[in-house]
Amino acid sequence: MNRAVVALGANLGDRLQSLREAVAALDALPDTRVEACSRLYETDPVGYMDQPDFLNAAALLRTRLSPEALLGALLGVEAALGRRRSFANAPRTIDLDLLLMETPEEGGIHRSSCELTLPHPRMWERAFVLLPLSDLFPDGRACGMLFEEKRAAVSAEGVRYFAGPEAFFKKD
């Protein structure tokens, strides 16, 4: 099976409940299983500042879906959970970003199309992505990518520990 890392974020409504529902929906996708989740972080908004703080985390998935099929499924989960797209960096009930993906045969997958870029193009600039990624991959290597130096180079100002993964993810 392929491994994929998905970033999760929410800053409208019951943020924690939105993340719980998103993780459950990811785990219910065909041929997909949520293997682990990072800790939760509360983060200041980036870009558009006049909005509530976010809760952010990351999930490690095992899946047989292709990157494009997984992206389509993530967009479907967002829509089902009330995500409305209005402008860049707008407040949202849920945000799911496909960060990284690897196959047993190829290792890390690279894509560059108008629909999908892998690895996610802005993940290396965002502590609210890199800290959860470090929780999942404490050795600094994820899906064929070394990221520890990039994480160390990004300021974690505005990113605060909120809760452990047990707050929103129950592994069977």
Side-chain angles (χ1 to χ4, degrees), residues 16-148:
L16 186 54
Q17 184 60 28
S18 292
L19 294 176
R20 286 181 183 132
E21 290 175 11
V23 169
L26 293 174
D27 202 45
L29 292 175
D31 295 319
T32 301
R33 177 90 175 124
V34 176
E35 198 168 83
C37 286
S38 71
R39 298 183 292 173
L40 279 168
Y41 295 87
E42 187 167 51
T43 62
D44 296 344
V46 172
Y48 178 66
M49 304 306 286
D50 188 22
Q51 61 180 318
D53 290 346
F54 282 82
L55 284 184
N56 291 102
L60 174 62
L61 311 180
R62 291 278 185 180
T63 185
R64 286 193 170 83
L65 299 176
S66 70
E68 292 77 12
L70 182 55
L71 177 63
L74 297 179
L75 294 172
V77 169
E78 285 181 342
L81 295 178
R83 170 83 188 259
R84 303 291 174 254
R85 295 178 183 275
S86 52
F87 58 90
N89 300 312
R92 60 208 79 154
T93 56
I94 194 70
D95 185 26
L96 302 174
D97 288 328
L98 181 55
L99 300 176
L100 299 165
M101 198 161 178
E102 71 177 348
T103 68
E105 303 81 26
E106 301 174 48
I109 296 174
H110 293 267
R111 291 282 196 278
S112 185
S113 70
C114 57
E115 291 87 25
L116 176 62
T117 302
L118 284 175
H120 190 286
R122 290 174 304 284
M123 67 181 280
W124 310 121
E125 306 163 6
R126 298 174 171 172
F128 65 84
V129 172
L130 293 171
L131 287 172
L133 193 63
S134 293
D135 290 345
L136 293 174
F137 301 95
D139 67 350
R141 179 183 296 273
C143 298
M145 301 291 296
L146 290 171
F147 67 89
E148 189 54 35

